Amino acid sequence: MRRLFGVVDQWFETGSEGVEWFFYENGKKEWEAANIIDAGDHLTVYGSDNQTIFEGEIVPDYKVGWTKYPKNPKYGQQAALGRWVHWIQKGWKPDDWARLFIRKEGESLLRAELIKKEKIKVTKKKTKDKKKKTKKKKDKAKKKK
């Protein structure tokens, strides 16, 4: 697990279809500092008085705050603080969660600690049966030549 120290912020780019919740690591610059906050990560966010505002595992809720698109009411997306977003932390009201990341003009970004969830690498292991089948195919190919 990687333990990172920095600040939380929002990130949006045309085509991303909504705000993403980001963590920017201290001591790094630009994209090198950027970390998207993912399900299973452990996040702690501190207020300006160093009081813990949030501490826990990230568990996205993809339903709370769901709003119809004004020009296409057949479809919609989650919204918070008047912006389209990708998810809200389970158990939080959309605007309350978004306020951790979306700061008012002149407000400092909130200090935070992020522990990134380990990503498990899945590798395929050849079974004995597959090895036998592969060997048989190679043997047949050799006999045909």
Side-chain angles (χ1 to χ4, degrees):
M1 290 190 282
R2 294 185 310 147
R3 175 176 254 136
L4 311 172
F5 299 92
V7 295
V8 288
D9 197 4
Q10 63 174 323
W11 180 81
F12 174 81
E13 180 176 70
T14 302
S16 67
E17 307 304 328
V19 171
E20 296 275 2
W21 310 127
F22 261 63
F23 175 92
Y24 291 96
E25 188 177 356
N26 291 342
K28 294 188 178 180
K29 294 180 181 176
E30 300 174 11
W31 282 110
E32 188 180 293
N35 291 273
I36 192 164
I37 298 171
D38 295 310
D41 289 347
H42 188 278
L43 180 67
T44 305
V45 180
Y46 304 96
S48 55
D49 58 358
N50 288 327
Q51 180 183 355
T52 302
I53 299 172
F54 172 80
E55 181 177 16
E57 182 180 338
I58 296 299
V59 181
D61 179 335
Y62 297 102
K63 294 180 182 176
V64 67
W66 194 89
T67 306
K68 292 178 182 179
Y69 292 134
K71 293 184 179 183
N72 194 358
K74 197 173 177 181
Y75 300 97
Q77 184 174 341
Q78 287 175 289
L81 296 176
R83 299 171 193 208
W84 301 116
V85 299
H86 288 275
W87 58 268
I88 303 296
Q89 175 66 14
K90 186 176 180 179
W92 280 65
K93 293 178 183 174
D95 288 352
D96 292 344
W97 180 252
R99 278 290 291 136
L100 299 177
F101 302 87
I102 302 171
R103 309 301 293 157
K104 292 180 183 174
E105 192 173 329
E107 286 184 326
S108 296
L109 297 175
L110 295 176
R111 193 172 58 82
E113 180 180 332
L114 179 67
I115 301 173
K116 290 298 289 176
K117 177 182 84 171
E118 291 285 331
K119 293 187 179 183
I120 299 170
K121 290 184 180 179
V122 178
T123 57
K124 287 188 176 180
K125 202 174 188 180
K126 279 192 176 180
T127 63
K128 288 180 183 178
D129 290 339
K130 282 186 179 180
K131 285 180 183 176
K132 284 179 185 176
K133 285 179 185 177
T134 304
K135 190 174 189 292
K136 283 180 184 178
K137 282 182 184 178
K138 285 180 182 177
D139 290 344
K140 280 185 183 179
K142 283 181 184 178
K143 286 180 183 178
K144 286 182 181 179
K145 289 181 180 180

